[in-house]
Amino acid sequence: MTTPLLAPAFRADGSKRPFLEVKDLRVHFPTADGLVKSVDGLSFELERGEILGIVGESGSGKSVTSLAILGLHKGSNAMVTGEIWLDGREIVAATEEEVRDLRGSEMGMIFQDPLSSLHPFYSVGTQISEAYLVHTKVSKKDAKAEAIRMLEKVGIPNAPNRYNDYPHQFSGGMRQRAMIAMALICQPQLLIADEPTTALDVTVQAQILELIKELHDELNSAVILITHDLGVVAETCDKVLVMYGGQCVEKGLVDDLFYAPEMPYTWGLLRSMPRMDRDRQTRLTPIPGSPPSLINVPSGCVFNTRCPFTDRVDGDKCRTVHPDLQQGATPGHEVRCHIPTAQRQEIWLTEISPNL
Amino acid sequence: MTNQTTAVSTPASTPRSEPLLSVRGVSKYFPGGSSGLLGRRGKPIKAVDGVSFSVEQGQTLGLVGESGCGKSTTGRVISKLLEPTSGEIRFNGRDIAGLKPREMRAYRSEIQMIFQDPFSSLNPRHTVGTIVGAPFRIQGVKPDHGIKAEVQSMMERVGLNPEHYNRYPHEFSGGQRQRIGIARALALRPKLIVCDEPVSALDVSVQAQVVNLLEDLQQEFGVAFVFIAHDLSVVRHIADRVAVMYLGKIMEIADRDTLYSEPLHPYTHALMSAVPVPDPRKERRRERILLTGDLPSPSNPPTGCVFHTRCQKFREELTDVQQDRCRTELPVLTEKTPGHEVYCHFPAPRAGLTDLLKTGVPA
Ligand SMILES: Nc1ncnc2c1ncn2[C@@H]1O[C@H](COP(=O)(O)OP(=O)(O)OP(=O)(O)O)[C@@H](O)[C@H]1O
Ligand SMILES: Nc1ncnc2c1ncn2[C@@H]1O[C@H](COP(=O)(O)OP(=O)(O)O)[C@@H](O)[C@H]1O
Ligand code: SF4
Ligand code: SF4
Ligand SMILES: [Mg+2]
Ligand SMILES: [Mg+2]
């Protein structure tokens, strides 16, 4: 390791670093059409035992963010800047080898498509034992026993027999559970789950989320759950970060985000979803238009091309001045919008919330 | 349009007593995969097994259920993209189940389909104009002002820029591609469109745009929808009547408000309890019914009630004698109250769930 031994847990000002700290992360891709600014100045913190939800539409930069934390842009053409501190170690500047060590031991991951991370030619069980053997010095026999225990734990019926099955012999839900077993067998301190249930039925989704929560309780790990489903966030997370156009536009505790959101984009997301727990609306309220290009990111506020509230801001500020992420009504709640906090609260209470 | 106008302007063109579409005991079995070295035929895959429902003119029937339960197969059988193995499909007063492809021709323009994947369901080498105009050419229909004018007005109607007539699908976003699929399906003014997960691949904000569009078009053209989805909240929004499927069979079918306010089947309870709602306080205190085990194979469905291997009521509430009945006796879809049919020996509302659905847990 090249990172210094003592200093890392502390910042230059002497304060203690959180378990995970992402600071001004930028991930840009040079392409034939121009520079794609997939993630542009993202910062957040996460402690052990917390579950952070990252929400946003497709293409908003969620997966690119998770790949950066996992150090998986290394060796690609991605231009990554900023800092990512995990348990005192910095990932952006670390070598490929150093992050490979971290992955699997400190960090585990679950991706949307389990087939892309399970090798088709090896049995599911073997792949899970191998993952265990990479970081733990035990015999093959013990690794197998542990893998079977994990498969049982994630609810694979008849695990000793299914150990030798190949991925295609598992259903979608079982593959997802096998991936979770593989991620958790190394007891990661940080688990990143990128749309782990998006392709699954609600019934299987409920099982998988239950499993993630259970194991998170047991290991006291930090979890990042990436999703575009606000219901999943409400069910699972402690904190939420809303991404739009490669930027964080609002973040805070889950209750702040659902009971006192302040950013027009978050309002738009809440308004556009049909809800089973409310009276049926005669008509849905979509966010007009479509997400911005990340090559020609709109000047001013990224959301200004779709925002219905630009008339609440003086002059042309929404189109010309990029708003900072600033504290909202409560500490820890941050919002990127030119409308003053008090006025945003007023709009939420009088115009948005009553119509949800 | 020359030969379609009557269908559009007179919604009462079917005999009054009969619904637009009436499906009775329809099954679709696929040949089972060959197993073993001898290539023995396996048991047939009962993708759809004796379903019955009807759809009224201008109304929407929602079809929900887990992946693999037979929703798409049902949709394809109705559209006659697949031949049913057995059963009756009455459309507009006539049984079309056994019609040969040539005889089906007349019905092709009246029943259309929209697919889930806006990326693969459109031919990437064809322009939007060609794609949306294809039904006219295939059916040999000549609109009054020519195909191009008709296509462009349809494009405008679904919210696409008519000037993009010569563009290719890859030049459009997911939501726009779904609009292209909708324009194509509507071109011939069908009476029925089977929408197979039309918004599942879209982000919520765009999903709402497309749902609104479908509702507007239904109003305007009087078209009926069979709306297949696994998202129960979307179905509650768009459907007038809802059928819940499991392993090729209908478990419960009722008018939307009845089904969502007082579901009676344990499987419907499990589905509804699993839908996350965007309200953390409700989420913290709600009870979730977790289904155990995996979906059984449709080539080897359980005996008796097909749901008994995963039914929480069977597991937790029933006596041994009652369980025996579930294991051995096949339930039939039975009308409990007018229009509300349930496939279960012991149908009953579930208290906690009904509360959550009706009013929500007070915060
Ligand atoms: N051509 C086919 N040959 C054999 N089996 C098939 C065929 N088409 C579908 N099946 C099987 O029939 C059953 C029902 O499939 P269907 O596609 O109708 O499900 P679905 O409810 O639409 O699921 P999803 O939500 O995943 O789209 C499944 O078990 C499927 O594997
Ligand atoms: N390797 C790459 N090269 C160029 N652009 C990329 C690359 N990977 C992702 N992007 C772009 O970055 C943006 C964010 O992508 P992603 O993080 O995958 O979105 P999501 O929020 O859906 O996970 C998208 O516009 C995507 O097209
Ligand atoms: S800054 Fe302007 S455009 Fe951006 S969210 Fe606020 S009101 Fe809307
Ligand atoms: S018949 Fe028995 S097993 Fe089937 S759904 Fe009803 S209670 Fe459950
Ligand atoms: Mg992604
Ligand atoms: Mg399907």
Side-chain angles (χ1 to χ4, degrees), chain B residues 254-282:
Chain B
D255 290 337
R256 175 235 302 148
D257 290 341
T258 311
L259 189 89
Y260 282 86
S261 61
E262 196 166 80
L264 296 175
H265 195 284
Y267 180 60
T268 315
H269 296 158
L271 281 185
M272 289 192 176
S273 84
V275 178
V277 295
D279 186 329
R281 286 183 203 130
K282 280 182 199 163

Side-chain angles (χ1 to χ4, degrees), chain A residues 57-58 174 177 201 203 205 207 231 235 255 258-259 275-278 280-281 283-284 286-287 289, chain B residues 66-67 203 205 209 212 216 233 236-237 256 260 274 276-282 284 288 291 294:
Chain A
E57 286 170 283
S58 72
M174 284 163 73
R177 275 179 262 168
D201 292 308
T203 50
Q205 168 170 290
Q207 294 168 359
E235 173 181 352
D255 283 15
F258 283 93
Y259 302 123
R275 299 177 59 151
M276 295 240 304
D277 60 329
R278 296 283 166 90
R280 186 177 162 277
Q281 292 169 298
R283 202 162 172 79
L284 298 177
I287 302 176
Chain B
E66 285 170 290
S67 177
D203 280 313
S205 64
Q209 296 173 1
N212 283 353
D216 292 345
S233 327
R236 173 179 180 244
H237 183 81
R256 175 235 302 148
Y260 282 86
V277 295
D279 186 329
R281 286 183 203 130
K282 280 182 199 163
R284 268 170 228 143
R288 203 156 253 124
L291 289 181
D294 275 299

Side-chain angles (χ1 to χ4, degrees), chain B residues 305-317:
Chain B
C305 168
V306 285
F307 186 54
H308 86 252
T309 54
R310 301 174 80 200
C311 177
Q312 72 287 352
K313 179 165 193 158
F314 173 90
R315 247 186 358 256
E316 290 162 13
E317 293 171 33

Side-chain angles (χ1 to χ4, degrees), chain A residues 126-276:
Chain A
T126 316
Q127 295 185 56
I128 297 173
S129 317
E130 286 298 326
Y132 189 52
L133 283 168
V134 170
H135 297 280
T136 326
K137 287 181 186 58
V138 292
S139 69
K140 283 207 162 163
K141 195 166 149 255
D142 289 345
K144 179 173 178 177
E146 181 63 14
I148 290 174
R149 202 181 67 82
M150 279 319 291
L151 283 171
E152 272 164 357
K153 181 152 201 148
V154 298
I156 301 288
N158 207 357
N161 292 329
R162 306 296 309 243
Y163 180 89
N164 292 315
D165 279 4
Y166 291 88
H168 73 267
Q169 292 170 289
F170 275 30
S171 72
M174 284 163 73
R175 283 197 287 260
Q176 198 60 282
R177 275 179 262 168
M179 256 234 295
I180 294 183
M182 185 145 77
L184 294 169
I185 197 165
C186 306
Q187 312 212 328
Q189 297 302 300
L190 172 66
L191 177 68
I192 300 184
D194 189 351
E195 311 245 8
T197 59
T198 300
L200 304 174
D201 292 308
V202 280
T203 50
V204 185
Q205 168 170 290
Q207 294 168 359
I208 302 284
L209 293 178
E210 201 59 39
L211 206 58
I212 292 179
K213 278 191 282 191
E214 222 171 80
L215 291 155
H216 146 265
D217 286 345
E218 224 167 85
L219 299 175
N220 196 36
S221 317
V223 178
I224 298 179
L225 181 71
I226 295 174
T227 172
H228 60 256
D229 186 334
L230 286 170
V232 169
V233 172
E235 173 181 352
T236 321
C237 302
D238 306 304
K239 295 161 124 185
V240 195
L241 187 157
V242 183
M243 275 188 91
Y244 186 80
Q247 304 174 16
C248 168
V249 294
E250 180 162 17
K251 70 179 169 198
L253 297 176
V254 76
D255 283 15
D256 289 340
L257 264 284
F258 283 93
Y259 302 123
E262 294 185 34
M263 163 75 197
Y265 175 64
T266 313
W267 298 341
L269 285 179
L270 285 167
R271 282 209 290 195
S272 55
M273 53 188 312
R275 299 177 59 151
M276 295 240 304

Side-chain angles (χ1 to χ4, degrees), chain B residues 115-122 169 173-178 198 201-202:
Chain B
F115 298 95
Q116 162 168 11
D117 187 352
F119 300 89
S120 64
S121 60
L122 305 175
S173 70
Q176 287 172 322
R177 281 184 243 211
Q178 205 50 288
L202 306 175

